Amino acid sequence: MSELDTNGRWRPIQIAPDECELELGRRRKTGILPWSFPCRRRSGVWFNAWADEAVLISPSHWRIWRFRRETRTHIYKDGANRSERTAPIPAPGFRAGLTIDFR
């Protein structure tokens, strides 16, 4: 386990490390809302790691970025549960030439 491993728990942004890909989030009434792209801090400024553009929203929490497939479960009118796999939504400015293998 790495020194930075947070076991999926959110940590306060004040203790976030520099120069590594992190999942950032912002506190909302319902909890921490995660951003859908990894970020990296350089010289005190947060950057979208995929687009290498500065992020203008201030995060409140962080955890280690782990690429993952998201699973959404839907409950249909017939009472059946069905799951579907979805990819994270790319951030504005995402470079369309980047290919991601979801296998």
Side-chain angles (χ1 to χ4, degrees):
M1 195 177 309
S2 102
E3 180 182 319
L4 293 177
D5 196 348
T6 60
N7 290 323
R9 283 181 254 137
W10 290 103
R11 302 286 186 214
I13 201 65
Q14 295 83 356
I15 61 171
D18 288 329
E19 295 299 334
C20 63
E21 290 189 359
L22 301 175
E23 180 178 20
L24 301 182
R26 187 84 184 141
R27 184 179 299 280
R28 297 286 182 232
K29 291 179 185 177
T30 57
I32 308 290
L33 178 65
W35 298 356
S36 59
F37 52 91
C39 291
R40 181 178 287 267
R41 185 169 57 188
R42 293 192 308 254
S43 303
V45 177
W46 288 104
F47 287 85
N48 175 329
W50 289 341
D52 199 32
E53 294 177 349
V55 176
L56 302 178
I57 303 169
S58 298
S60 63
H61 289 78
W62 69 277
R63 61 185 173 191
I64 298 298
W65 172 262
R66 286 181 171 72
F67 183 81
R68 67 193 174 283
R69 290 186 200 186
E70 297 176 359
T71 302
R72 295 183 186 153
T73 301
H74 299 277
I75 300 175
Y76 292 86
K77 289 183 181 179
D78 62 6
N81 289 338
R82 298 184 188 100
S83 295
E84 63 183 41
R85 287 188 218 172
T86 60
I89 300 168
F94 179 75
R95 294 183 182 150
L98 180 65
T99 303
I100 299 173
D101 185 1
F102 289 104
R103 283 183 268 159

